[in-house]
Amino acid sequence: MRLPIPTWAIVATGLVLNVAAALMTNFVIDDLGEKATAVAERQTNNNQLIQLSWQQADALERRREAILVVLALTPTEIPVSESVAVTLLDAFTDMNDTPLTRVNMPSIMTRINDQQDLLRNKIDTLYLDNLQMAENQYEFNRQVSAYRNLALFLQVFGLALIMARDLNRKQD
């Protein structure tokens, strides 16, 4: 028994499904792809900031070592030259006028520790942001895959309906 559906309706339905698949690909999938790319770029930027922060924390540790070496090599009764002290303490704007002496060592070391703690907190925050963005990117990629599969199904089904016109002619 043959269904009384006009051939033009089947072909039109096939064309509509193909157009819907094309629009889905053009708007939905491309938009999700752009979002995933933006997330990947932000992750890359965060990774660069993490690397820079680690370098800064390491530089502070090297500065601490240099201060300790300078103080160890300087006799207790002779103060460290002002130019050396300024060079070693220039990373801390609030300590530019602080003399580099053994008496001031606890406050200098505390300041270095505080700066390193700030950098480590920044690194932790950026790392956690990257983890969240990785989850977001996974979700975007999952959605893109689902929409691509749906678009492919719509295209194949639409083409099958369009080809049904030719099959209908052969049966007549």
Side-chain angles (χ1 to χ4, degrees):
M1 180 168 134
R2 218 165 138 188
L3 295 174
I5 300 173
T7 304
W8 67 267
I10 294 173
V11 172
T13 304
L15 288 173
V16 166
L17 291 175
N18 276 303
V19 168
L23 290 174
M24 185 183 307
T25 300
N26 190 39
F27 293 110
V28 177
I29 295 174
D30 288 350
D31 183 51
L32 288 171
E34 287 174 10
K35 287 178 181 178
T37 300
V39 168
E41 286 176 13
R42 285 182 45 213
Q43 282 179 304
T44 300
N45 290 341
N46 280 357
N47 285 335
Q48 290 173 347
L49 287 172
I50 288 170
Q51 191 173 31
L52 179 63
S53 296
W54 272 121
Q55 290 172 353
Q56 290 172 342
D58 188 52
L60 285 170
E61 195 58 35
R62 300 294 79 77
R63 190 173 297 263
R64 177 195 316 267
E65 292 168 359
I67 290 170
L68 291 172
V69 167
V70 166
L71 284 175
L73 294 174
T74 305
T76 53
E77 63 274 354
I78 301 173
V80 175
S81 75
E82 187 176 331
S83 63
V84 172
V86 167
T87 301
L88 290 173
L89 298 176
D90 69 348
F92 313 103
T93 55
D94 59 337
M95 298 189 86
N96 282 342
D97 297 331
T98 304
L100 187 56
T101 63
R102 285 183 174 84
V103 173
N104 291 333
M105 278 308 292
S107 65
I108 294 170
M109 292 301 139
T110 300
R111 184 70 174 113
I112 291 173
N113 290 340
D114 291 345
Q115 283 288 92
Q116 286 180 325
D117 286 343
L118 287 173
L119 289 168
R120 287 184 191 110
N121 287 337
K122 180 179 179 181
I123 290 167
D124 290 346
T125 301
L126 291 170
Y127 181 76
L128 292 175
D129 285 348
N130 273 359
L131 289 178
Q132 181 62 46
M133 284 188 276
E135 290 178 20
N136 292 345
Q137 189 173 25
Y138 172 77
E139 183 61 28
F140 287 140
N141 290 337
R142 192 184 66 71
Q143 288 176 358
V144 164
S145 178
Y147 279 115
R148 277 196 180 130
N149 290 338
L150 179 61
L152 182 61
F153 171 76
L154 291 175
Q155 279 183 315
V156 169
F157 191 64
L159 289 174
L161 290 176
I162 292 170
M163 290 175 61
R165 171 190 65 180
D166 294 335
L167 292 175
N168 193 24
R169 279 191 207 153
K170 288 181 183 178
Q171 288 179 358
D172 287 338

